[in-house]
Amino acid sequence: MPSALASADLHMHTHHSCDAHDSVEDMVRSAMEKGLHTIAITEHIDWHPNDNGYGVFNFQAYSDDINRARDKYGDRITILKGFEASEANLYRQAYADELSRDYDIVLCSMHWVGGALCGDPAVMDAGAWPHFIEAYLLNLLACIDMGGFQVLAHFDFPRRYYGQMPMPEDLVREVLKKAAQKGVALEINTSGIRKGYPDTLPGKEYIRWFEQYGGQRVTFGSDAHRTCDIAADFDRAIQAIEGTRLLVGTYNKRQFQPLIPKPLTGMVGGE
């Protein structure tokens, strides 16, 4: 059985996202086998017209699958309904329409910067990193100003593809400070580790900056796109917050609920 801190995976995708293939039921059953008590199915909703996921998401089909899984397994695991909003600041009406639905949790992410998708090698080949990452962070700031979501997902996501490239400290701090002030939870995303990146997204330094600015809430997310990756490397997520006073939690109807009533400090490698 996983520890209480590692018992909720709040970021995963099923065949209702363009880049995943396993069913809702497959993900639920796998999570139960791994001893999790809570998962969030957070499908991609992609509004960028060049994205492979543009127009793919079907809310009714997704919602029907969630309801069937809840009817079948709801006495053994909590299944949260969620979505991952990409570039919401650029598609405000579509985002507002989606927020009106009965989601338990909404993730904010940024996959596109202008015409470039995170992971496009041209970003590095053309020496475009400084402009790309500045625009990326400015777009995140705009999303935080707009609000509506609960969790800032894989904050330094571009590093999953480009490695530990320098990020402008002033803007990084500004994003983390604003997220903390707005009561947004910072996701500790473990997807980079299984893709060759040496750390969680974000890593310890940025997590501590978030705490310094008054941030209190974090969530763990594997960003699993297949059953085998559910809760992957959550031991590393726990290590990333050791010594902090951050609360690891889950959500219910978009309201934060800590997994344990006290922060990690003094419990595992604390003061």
Side-chain angles (χ1 to χ4, degrees):
M1 293 291 290
S3 74
L5 292 174
S7 62
D9 187 342
L10 302 191
H11 189 159
M12 64 181 67
H13 302 274
T14 76
H15 66 87
H16 293 289
S17 294
C18 72
D19 53 356
H21 302 285
D22 291 330
S23 69
V24 170
E25 181 167 357
D26 287 341
M27 299 298 272
V28 170
R29 289 173 61 87
S30 180
M32 289 193 302
E33 289 169 2
K34 295 179 181 185
L36 273 63
H37 70 59
T38 302
I39 61 169
I41 307 292
T42 52
E43 305 295 4
H44 288 295
I45 300 185
D46 300 298
W47 295 298
H48 195 293
N50 293 336
D51 196 283
N52 290 335
Y54 181 71
V56 167
F57 181 70
N58 181 314
F59 173 78
Q60 191 59 57
Y62 160 77
S63 189
D64 288 346
D65 276 355
I66 292 288
N67 289 336
R68 279 191 288 268
R70 285 173 170 174
D71 288 343
K72 191 170 183 178
Y73 303 108
D75 59 337
R76 287 175 276 172
I77 188 170
T78 298
I79 306 164
L80 303 179
K81 183 186 292 188
F83 76 99
E84 182 179 358
S86 301
E87 299 80 55
N89 61 308
L90 302 179
Y91 306 97
R92 294 183 176 231
Q93 188 56 58
Y95 177 56
D97 291 345
E98 207 62 40
L99 288 178
S100 69
R101 301 187 190 274
D102 61 338
Y103 292 106
D104 295 293
I105 182 172
V106 179
L107 311 183
C108 168
S109 69
M110 193 67 51
H111 296 118
W112 287 85
V113 178
L117 178 66
C118 283
D120 184 345
V123 171
M124 298 305 298
D125 293 345
W129 173 262
H131 172 73
F132 180 89
I133 199 61
E134 179 181 8
Y136 174 86
L137 293 169
L138 289 172
N139 275 289
L140 283 182
L141 278 172
C143 287
I144 295 170
D145 280 333
M146 185 173 58
F149 62 92
Q150 290 70 56
V151 180
L152 181 59
H154 46 53
F155 163 66
D156 49 354
F157 179 67
R159 283 183 159 182
R160 192 172 90 178
Y161 299 98
Y162 306 116
Q164 293 179 311
M165 297 296 293
M167 297 176 68
E169 181 175 331
D170 57 340
L171 273 178
V172 168
R173 286 185 175 274
E174 189 174 353
V175 173
L176 294 173
K177 182 177 182 179
K178 184 161 288 189
Q181 291 173 339
K182 294 270 192 175
V184 171
L186 185 67
E187 178 187 76
I188 314 301
N189 186 292
T190 60
S191 64
I193 296 169
R194 61 182 182 269
K195 295 178 182 292
Y197 183 73
D199 209 346
T200 55
L201 300 168
K204 289 184 178 181
E205 182 179 38
Y206 292 169
I207 292 169
R208 277 148 184 76
W209 289 359
F210 175 72
E211 184 187 25
Q212 289 168 11
Y213 289 125
Q216 299 178 357
R217 303 168 176 174
V218 296
T219 63
F220 289 173
S222 67
D223 207 345
H225 285 62
R226 52 185 184 169
T227 57
C228 62
D229 291 329
I230 293 172
D233 298 302
F234 272 18
D235 57 326
R236 296 285 299 278
I238 292 173
Q239 292 170 15
I241 63 165
E242 284 180 357
T244 73
R245 304 190 69 82
L246 295 166
L247 291 171
V248 183
T250 182
Y251 279 85
N252 178 27
K253 297 180 179 178
R254 307 187 202 181
Q255 298 299 309
F256 183 79
Q257 298 178 335
L259 292 173
I260 57 174
K262 294 181 180 180
L264 193 57
T265 296
M267 296 180 62
V268 183
E271 296 172 343

